[in-house]
């Protein structure tokens, strides 16, 4: 197995990941409802630009344009048979950018959720989920991805199926879940539950954590939940650039570069090793995050008061682990 990310984590106290995929591609002309993965073939120059913007802004690691590149998601566009090819191309383009960069840069093959509900609540069986994830993993591996990057997962069963698929592909991986419902994932997983779950897997991730969700404050509270569980596994923090708001008919994230710089340092101080942004995070945000991580000294682990003071209020009063935590709502969300 490739161990580029393991080597980097052994040499560094923190690693800066990339920002948004969807937000940046929409700014390049992608229309809502279209599959970004088609751009790997139709507009490779724009995907190369996406990757290069992250590298130029200081990212040590970037995700490929393959979030929705599994057969289940591509079936919505009649392209389920293209899953392996489109994922391979996304990684090949990433490899091109990383290999021409003078400093080490990790190419992480993005793998998003299938979009289906796992049985018995839904129709997606464990075996089929493994098959779907394995196909995409093989494509990303063929394209030269250093590591697989599972993201925006809500179901622990889907997370486990992906881990099994990545073992079949003989690829190292990182896996994050999205905690967007009062500290829980859409399917009810808590930060403590996830920290325990990853240690039960036969093929454990190199690092685990949270991405997307609500806002930076909520994500930091989830990171503290991982740390509080006593995990020694490296943690990933990849939060949105503020809160989404409709402005002029478009979704706008209100997180400033300065706020994301604060978020990056608080993530590091809270215990995260790999720090990046998700929806709304642009190159300018990444540049400020990089500068802050390089110039601001490490501080004490932040408390909840410090987080809200610097990043804003939490979206709920509970972190999902209390007895009075609300039941999760049923919503869908796409990363980036």
């Amino acid at each position: 197995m490739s161990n580029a990310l393991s080597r980097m984590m052994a040499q560094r106290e923190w690693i800066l990941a990339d920002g948004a995929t969807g937000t940046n591609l929409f700014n390049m002309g992608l229309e809502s409802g279209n599959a970004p993965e088609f751009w790997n073939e139709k507009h490779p120059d724009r995907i190369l630009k996406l990757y290069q913007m992250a590298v130029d802004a200081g990212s040590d690691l970037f995700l490929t344009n393959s979030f929705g590149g599994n057969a289940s998601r591509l079936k919505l566009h009649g392209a389920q048979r293209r899953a392996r090819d489109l994922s391979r191309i996304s990684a090949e383009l990433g490899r091109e950018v990383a290999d021409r960069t003078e400093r080490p840069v990790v190419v992480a093959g993005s793998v998003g959720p299938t979009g289906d509900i796992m049985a018995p609540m839904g129709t997606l069986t464990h075996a089929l989920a493994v098959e779907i994830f394995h196909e995409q993993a093989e494509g990303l591996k063929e394209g030269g991805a250093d590591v697989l990057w599972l993201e925006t997962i809500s179901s622990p069963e889907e997370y486990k199926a992906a881990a099994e698929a990545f073992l079949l592909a003989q690829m190292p991986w990182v896996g994050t879940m999205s905690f967007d419902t009062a500290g829980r994932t859409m399917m009810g997983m808590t930060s403590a539950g996830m920290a325990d779950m990853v240690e039960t897997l036969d093929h454990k991730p190199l690092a685990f954590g949270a991405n997307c969700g609500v806002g930076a404050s909520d994500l930091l509270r989830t990171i503290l939940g991982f740390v509080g569980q006593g995990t020694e596994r490296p943690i990933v923090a990849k939060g949105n650039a503020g809160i989404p708001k409709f402005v002029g008919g478009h979704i706008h994230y209100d997180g400033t570069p300065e706020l994301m710089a604060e978020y990056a340092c608080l993530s590091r101080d809270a215990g995260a090793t790999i720090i990046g942004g998700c929806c709304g995070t642009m190159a300018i945000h990444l540049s400020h995050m990089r500068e802050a991580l390089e110039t601001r000294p490490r501080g004490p682990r932040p408390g909840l008061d410090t987080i809200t003071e610097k990043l804003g209020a939490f979206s709920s009063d509970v972190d999902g682990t209390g007895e009075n935590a609300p039941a999760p709502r049923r919503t869908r969300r796409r990363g980036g």
Side-chain angles (χ1 to χ4, degrees), residues 13-29:
E13 291 188 358
W14 53 265
I15 292 169
L16 182 65
D18 62 358
T21 295
T23 304
N24 283 290
L25 293 185
F26 284 133
N27 288 341
M28 294 182 193

